[in-house]
Amino acid sequence: MKNPESSPAASIPDVFDPTCSSRHALELIAGKWPMLIISALENGPMRNAALMRRLGDISQKMLTQTLKELERNGLVIREDMRTVPPHVEYSLSPVGRSLSETLLVLDRWAETHFGALDAARERYDTERRK
Amino acid sequence: MKNPESSPAASIPDVFDPTCSSRHALELIAGKWPMLIISALENGPMRNAALMRRLGDISQKMLTQTLKELERNGLVIREDMRTVPPHVEYSLSPVGRSLSETLLVLDRWAETHFGALDAARERYDTERRK
DNA sequence: CGGCATCCCCGATGATACTG
DNA sequence: CAGTATCATCGGGGATGCCG
């Protein structure tokens, strides 16, 4: 019911098992935009244009495409108000919200340690002149 | 010193600011392998071959390449025992370890909810026969 | 306003073979 | 054993223009 492929005894969900769809779950959010989009929806529903502004440099195409993929996997809910002009709102599903909590921790990690990464990178590049 | 580009008053680190290098930090781990590799190193140093087995379906090239990038950014430490035959060990730096803790939560999220994702995806695909 | 359709490019990823 | 080199590919991702 959960891990049909892996070895007989071990049907324990394992992200390290390439045949386990938990791996798929991870790859779903491993792209350039999914994590940011989910985080952006943390504070309630947002419209297309608002997301565009929030993310700063995402293209309309990638936004729509990523949102659709997230919706497909049940992380994001798309609500079309069916008005004219169009009004569409995106929000997090319960599962999506559970993910966003972890991702916010990740965001804070990035905002906390990026300086260290920058420094390390510069050091590395300086030593091996390349 | 931290956010040279963004707007005057707001030099607060913000992953949503495309000019802030915290964004870079996030993209460093946003690929297909970085998150898995960091998690794999959680339990102590590992050798090349061991990582290959652990990750299951990564190519030698991508492993080396990703490890190098992680080392460059100070998340992973590479120790070459300089023996023959070669013996090289990879481990997490302190910063890397701080990241791995968050990633483990993410892994557990994936292992917990992938069933819901699978179900949602199937539902979605069934409804809109495409 | 949202968002599809199209065209296109380049980098990420992989398969294979070779080397210290 | 660890890693490099090379070649091939595939899709992420952007630009543009059209539509309900």
Side-chain angles (χ1 to χ4, degrees), chain B residues 42-55:
Chain B
E42 168 78 356
N43 299 316
M46 291 187 80
R47 303 181 58 174
N48 185 330
L51 280 168
M52 289 276 273
R53 282 190 298 275
R54 185 82 172 110
L55 301 187

Side-chain angles (χ1 to χ4, degrees), chain A residues 2 14-16 21 23 30-33 36 54-55 57 72-73 98 109 111 114 117-118 121 125, chain B residues 2 14-16 21 23 27 30-31 33 36 54-55 57 72-73 98 109 111 114 117-118 121 125:
Chain A
K2 14 182 55 172
D14 178 8
V15 287
F16 291 110
S21 36
R23 185 76 160 259
K32 186 176 182 181
W33 301 112
L36 281 174
R54 184 84 172 108
L55 301 188
D57 64 342
R72 183 163 97 103
N73 285 270
S98 76
W109 178 89
E111 294 171 346
F114 73 92
L117 300 204
D118 287 351
R121 201 172 339 114
D125 291 344
Chain B
K2 11 184 54 170
D14 179 7
V15 286
F16 290 110
S21 35
R23 184 74 160 260
E27 295 186 355
W33 301 111
L36 281 173
R54 185 82 172 110
L55 301 187
D57 64 343
R72 183 163 97 102
N73 286 269
S98 76
W109 178 88
E111 294 170 348
F114 73 91
L117 300 204
D118 287 351
R121 199 169 344 111
D125 292 344

Side-chain angles (χ1 to χ4, degrees), chain A residues 36-52:
Chain A
L36 281 174
I37 292 183
I38 303 246
S39 293
L41 292 174
E42 169 77 358
N43 299 315
M46 292 185 80
R47 301 181 60 175
N48 184 329
L51 280 168
M52 289 274 273

Side-chain angles (χ1 to χ4, degrees), chain A residues 57, chain B residues 2-7 14 16-23:
Chain A
D57 64 342
Chain B
K2 11 184 54 170
N3 197 343
E5 287 309 273
S6 61
S7 56
D14 179 7
F16 290 110
D17 180 353
T19 69
C20 177
S21 35
S22 68
R23 184 74 160 260

